[in-house]
Amino acid sequence: MRARAHVGPGRREARAWSGERGAAGIRCVAYNNQSNRLAVSRTDGTVEIYNLSANYFQEKFFPGHESRATEALCWTEGQRLFSAGLNGEIVEYDLQALNVKYAMDAFGGPIWSMTASPSGSQLLVGCEDGSVKLFQITPDKIQFERNFDRQKSRILSLSWHPSGTHIAAGSIDYISVFDVKSGSAIHKMIVDRQYMGVSKRKCIVWGVAFLSDGTVISVDSAGKVQFWDSATGTLVKSHPIANADVLSIAVADQEDSFVVGTAEGTVFHFQLVSVTSNSSEKQWVRTKPFQHHTHDVRTVAHSPTALISGGTDTHLVIRPLMEKVEVKNYDAALRKITFPHRCLISCSKKRQLLLFQFAHHLELWRLGSTVATGKNGDILPLSKNADHLLHLKTKGPENIICSCISSCGSWIAYSTASRFFLYRLNYEHDNISLKRVSKMPAFLRSALQILFSEDSKKLFVASNQGSLHVIQLLEGSFKHLHAFQPQSGTVEAMCLLAVSPDGNWLAASGTSAGVHVYNVKQLKLHCTVPAYNFPVTALAIAPNTNNLVIAHSDQQVFEYSIPDKQYTEWSRAVQKQGFHHLWLQRDTPITHIGFHSKRPMHILLHDAYMFCIIDKSLPLPNDKTLLYNPLPPTSESDVVRRRTAHAFKISKIYKPLLFMELLDEGTLVAVERPLDDIIAQLPPPIKKKKFGT
């Protein structure tokens, strides 16, 4: 990561590097047509859920686990989510509490594939030992029903016939067709091992799709897409499309198109088109190739309006199908999601420290400094480099869920799925000592969000059971003061917290769109902000006024007066006029909101590709004015400068921007994560010969 601290005029730059800098690649995706949500699993075991109806916001996530190498992901009836992997277990996730509901061993060795029945009431897994196992989905769990005929090699891919009567299973060198009622294999279709005219030792069937008319589509390691007649077990047509493996396939619900992904980073779109303009006869035609990935496309999905792909390069790519998009606005634009929609960096303003959260460790850095001066835009040389103070590694296989450092820099807290850790830090010149606070209560584990008060005397912990805990911090210990319980009968995990600088108010947002405000002194619920249709992406409480600023995934920003329990005049004026259309068309959510203590009319916020200062004293821009408005020349008079200025001052020089915070009145720290650095740490992609080389 690259951390930049800005001191005006001019700026100083401090670079902080460490060994673990690669984001986790995408292993599989699963699209849910009923809820319009996309589940994504990464190579570190993390599972993310994106709400495609809420501007593709990553509204939920489940932390990874070293032993949970996910190979398959699927949705079933009742919006239930399952995964399976090489540890041989089937896992169900609790979408309310945001944790693992249970894990069950399938007793077939590593699981390579999994799919739900068309009705969503049964689950099918393919195992290393060649077994295909059928499970019945009960209201509380899953129950083993029976094994199908065992095959000679591992089952790498599975697909149900839409009627639910047959399944196709891809293995090494062959595809099996099973009768679900009897569990018997009725056909075995041998796959051609020929690869670019040379016979390979093995041909791996990476994906299969069973269509209503009985056609089985397969993709394999020989770079082919093949069509089979399941009734006769014969090959109908073969499409060689790549010089490397074709790794994944997904078919549209209407069965009029499908998408495949290759190890060369290419995504191909096939469509069912009429042979001639007047003919009712149709055939599959490869219509569009897309090259939005640099490495293997491990998984694809097909929504009603878009092709979705993910792979080794960590990018989740959503390419809308233009013929399916009714309104040609920003919904028709290509989207590439790389970074999580939550903040993984926290800041100690008083000591100018940054705490970076990784999967299995935390890093603490002290920012560099400079004594040089310059004009705006200058990069100033550092008189003191950034210092790497601490590398705190977790014990056990679980990934870190959340972490935080106190404003004074004396406390660090983090949580995994089963443990909560609190450390006291002591600084002596250039030395730092760390002491762990022992006997943390069990109800703090699986915390989804941690936040220290501004004076570092209190710690607020949001558990995955919906409760908010208030902890008083003593010299080397703690005291549990109170627990705010969830308001409704259902457990709603709180994912975002904000505390007022004076420590009197605590705001919390859950997985839905609601925001609750608590009185910390009186330890009771103060008010609930009126519900909004889109989830909250960031929130913060302004100093002095105690106004709560809330950003939503549809790019709306609200300001709510906590003392008055109503929206402010500025917020009402914004909603009356509306934001600029270019502001609303941004496709990355606001992940952080801040304030300047000496400039109460300013709101500071950022997403991955822009930093913005909203000046509430200036008029809002309308759709006829430039949103990304450069500052008027200094030669212009104050009257002209004032007339051409509007409330939004936007900078796009930091890309991608993971974190930005005001340290003091004249210092702003920005943390970037260049995409080129991520790609440079990946294994080299398959070399493709280009014309003329």
Side-chain angles (χ1 to χ4, degrees):
M1 293 185 185
R2 184 177 300 139
R4 290 181 175 175
H6 304 276
V7 181
R11 65 178 186 257
R12 69 177 186 260
E13 179 178 294
R15 298 188 180 188
W17 302 97
S18 90
E20 186 189 332
R21 284 291 185 256
I26 294 175
R27 180 60 193 92
C28 43
V29 299
Y31 174 69
N32 187 322
N33 200 12
Q34 291 179 321
S35 64
N36 199 26
R37 281 170 170 80
L38 182 76
V40 177
S41 74
R42 296 189 179 268
T43 51
D44 64 354
T46 301
V47 174
E48 304 162 345
I49 297 179
Y50 293 83
N51 187 341
L52 305 194
S53 300
N55 207 7
Y56 296 84
F57 177 61
Q58 186 196 109
E59 63 180 4
K60 300 177 183 180
F61 80 98
F62 301 87
H65 194 285
E66 281 184 349
S67 67
R68 202 180 298 142
T70 304
E71 286 291 320
L73 202 61
C74 74
W75 297 91
T76 67
E77 188 180 29
Q79 312 296 314
R80 293 168 68 176
L81 180 64
F82 292 86
S83 73
L86 300 183
N87 63 353
E89 291 181 339
I90 302 171
V91 174
E92 182 175 2
Y93 298 91
D94 188 326
L95 301 182
Q96 291 294 324
L98 300 186
N99 60 5
V100 171
K101 197 172 181 180
Y102 61 86
M104 175 184 286
D105 197 323
F107 296 103
I111 298 173
W112 292 96
S113 53
M114 176 175 62
T115 182
S117 64
S119 65
S121 60
Q122 292 174 307
L123 204 60
L124 204 63
V125 297
C127 303
E128 172 73 20
D129 64 358
S131 63
V132 177
K133 299 176 181 288
L134 184 66
F135 290 83
Q136 196 71 31
I137 300 174
T138 64
D140 299 321
K141 216 170 181 181
I142 58 172
Q143 184 175 336
F144 175 74
E145 195 164 318
R146 68 171 182 277
N147 285 314
F148 288 13
D149 288 349
R150 180 170 294 187
Q151 304 303 295
K152 292 182 179 179
S153 58
R154 64 183 63 148
I155 307 299
L156 293 159
S157 49
L158 289 167
S159 180
W160 288 81
H161 186 274
S163 67
T165 57
H166 295 81
I167 63 164
S171 190
I172 299 175
D173 292 335
Y174 63 89
I175 302 164
S176 301
V177 177
F178 293 89
D179 179 87
V180 173
K181 191 173 183 179
S182 65
S184 302
I186 57 177
H187 285 299
K188 183 176 285 188
M189 301 176 288
I190 308 300
V191 181
D192 186 7
R193 297 183 184 181
Q194 288 291 318
Y195 176 77
M196 300 297 290
V198 179
S199 181
K200 296 188 73 177
R201 188 174 59 171
K202 291 180 180 179
C203 184
I204 302 170
V205 181
W206 288 116
V208 289
F210 215 146
L211 305 185
S212 300
D213 63 2
T215 300
V216 174
I217 309 173
S218 67
V219 296
D220 57 45
S221 59
K224 299 189 298 291
V225 176
Q226 296 188 313
F227 298 83
W228 306 83
D229 186 336
S230 64
T232 60
T234 56
L235 178 65
V236 176
K237 195 170 184 180
S238 182
H239 285 267
I241 64 167
N243 295 327
D245 297 43
V246 185
L247 297 169
S248 48
I249 181 172
V251 181
D253 285 346
Q254 294 79 14
E255 298 186 357
D256 56 355
S257 74
F258 68 88
V259 57
V260 299
T262 74
E264 296 174 323
T266 309
V267 172
F268 290 100
H269 186 206
F270 284 76
Q271 290 178 285
L272 193 61
V273 298
S274 299
V275 176
T276 62
S277 58
N278 298 322
S279 173
S280 60
E281 184 183 354
K282 294 186 176 182
Q283 65 179 5
W284 287 103
V285 176
R286 190 181 75 191
T287 55
K288 304 183 191 80
F290 305 114
Q291 188 76 41
H292 300 303
H293 296 273
T294 58
H295 291 65
D296 301 19
V297 180
R298 299 292 304 270
T299 180
V300 290
H302 199 314
S303 80
T305 59
L307 308 179
I308 302 166
S309 56
T312 307
D313 64 3
T314 75
H315 303 316
L316 178 66
V317 176
I318 298 105
R319 173 150 193 124
L321 297 168
M322 297 304 293
E323 64 272 18
K324 301 284 187 180
V325 179
E326 295 180 3
V327 181
K328 298 299 187 287
N329 58 10
Y330 77 109
D331 286 332
L334 173 77
R335 291 169 184 257
K336 187 179 285 189
I337 301 170
T338 303
F339 299 104
H341 293 167
R342 63 186 191 280
C343 193
L344 301 178
I345 301 165
S346 58
C347 175
S348 166
K349 296 181 181 180
K350 294 177 182 177
R351 289 189 179 268
Q352 299 205 346
L353 306 174
L354 290 180
L355 182 70
F356 295 90
Q357 176 184 321
F358 297 90
H360 293 284
H361 77 273
L362 302 173
E363 289 188 16
L364 185 63
W365 288 79
R366 181 189 288 125
L367 292 170
S369 60
T370 184
V371 294
T373 58
K375 62 181 184 296
N376 284 332
D378 289 349
I379 294 180
L380 306 178
L382 288 174
S383 57
K384 184 180 180 182
N385 290 324
D387 294 326
H388 185 194
L389 300 179
L390 181 68
H391 182 103
L392 184 59
K393 185 170 174 55
T394 64
K395 295 180 180 179
E398 297 173 336
N399 285 17
I400 297 173
I401 301 175
C402 56
S403 61
C404 192
I405 185 170
S406 63
S407 182
C408 67
S410 298
W411 297 93
I412 287 178
Y414 74 90
S415 176
T416 66
S418 62
R419 303 182 75 182
F420 185 90
F421 298 86
L422 179 64
Y423 291 90
R424 175 79 172 177
L425 281 70
N426 291 307
Y427 302 86
E428 294 180 8
H429 305 295
D430 290 335
N431 297 322
I432 181 171
S433 61
L434 193 69
K435 183 180 179 181
R436 181 181 166 189
V437 178
S438 59
K439 298 180 180 178
M440 298 303 295
F443 55 74
L444 292 181
R445 64 189 180 192
S446 294
L448 295 177
Q449 192 66 261
I450 303 169
L451 187 63
F452 289 93
S453 61
E454 194 81 10
D455 60 7
S456 303
K457 293 182 179 180
K458 288 187 176 66
L459 173 65
F460 304 100
V461 181
S463 80
N464 66 343
Q465 298 301 315
S467 54
L468 292 173
H469 299 279
V470 183
I471 309 294
Q472 183 179 353
L473 299 175
L474 307 173
E475 183 60 32
S477 61
F478 67 94
K479 180 182 178 182
H480 184 251
L481 295 180
H482 188 71
F484 297 110
Q485 298 301 329
Q487 301 303 309
S488 59
T490 59
V491 174
E492 184 191 22
M494 294 295 174
C495 301
L496 290 171
L497 296 179
V499 63
S500 61
D502 60 15
N504 292 337
W505 307 104
L506 176 68
S509 171
T511 51
S512 67
V515 178
H516 304 296
V517 180
Y518 299 90
N519 188 317
V520 177
K521 283 192 173 181
Q522 298 179 9
L523 297 176
K524 67 178 184 179
L525 178 68
H526 176 70
C527 64
T528 298
V529 179
Y532 188 65
N533 293 333
F534 288 83
V536 177
T537 66
L539 71 166
I541 302 175
N544 305 319
T545 62
N546 282 327
N547 288 336
L548 173 64
V549 179
I550 308 168
H552 293 269
S553 66
D554 64 344
Q555 310 301 352
Q556 294 289 344
V557 178
F558 296 92
E559 186 181 51
Y560 187 85
S561 172
I562 294 176
D564 298 337
K565 298 184 182 181
Q566 63 180 5
Y567 290 111
T568 64
E569 291 294 329
W570 178 83
S571 188
R572 294 179 190 276
V574 167
Q575 293 307 309
K576 186 176 180 180
Q577 177 178 331
F579 284 108
H580 196 285
H581 70 282
L582 292 179
W583 175 267
L584 298 176
Q585 288 176 10
R586 293 178 305 106
D587 58 5
T588 48
I590 293 167
T591 53
H592 185 77
I593 300 172
F595 306 95
H596 195 299
S597 59
K598 298 296 177 65
R599 298 176 183 175
M601 298 304 287
H602 287 187
I603 300 172
L604 287 64
L605 40 82
H606 76 84
D607 63 17
Y609 294 98
M610 74 100 222
F611 166 63
C612 176
I613 298 175
I614 300 178
D615 188 342
K616 296 187 292 180
S617 66
L618 293 176
L620 290 169
N622 57 44
D623 286 349
K624 295 180 181 179
T625 59
L626 291 173
L627 176 65
Y628 304 105
N629 185 16
L631 291 173
T634 53
S635 59
E636 296 283 1
S637 66
D638 290 342
V639 175
V640 174
R641 289 169 62 83
R642 189 74 178 174
R643 190 171 64 243
T644 56
H646 58 66
F648 285 74
K649 300 295 180 287
I650 296 174
S651 170
K652 286 190 166 186
I653 64 173
Y654 313 109
K655 295 180 181 180
L657 182 59
L658 295 192
F659 177 78
M660 185 170 271
E661 181 66 280
L662 198 67
L663 296 179
D664 53 45
E665 292 179 22
T667 310
L668 192 70
V669 61
V671 180
E672 291 178 297
R673 185 67 176 104
L675 293 174
D676 291 344
D677 294 343
I678 297 176
I679 300 300
Q681 296 180 44
L682 298 175
I686 292 176
K687 184 175 177 60
K688 290 183 286 187
K689 183 174 176 60
K690 296 182 179 179
F691 180 75
T693 60

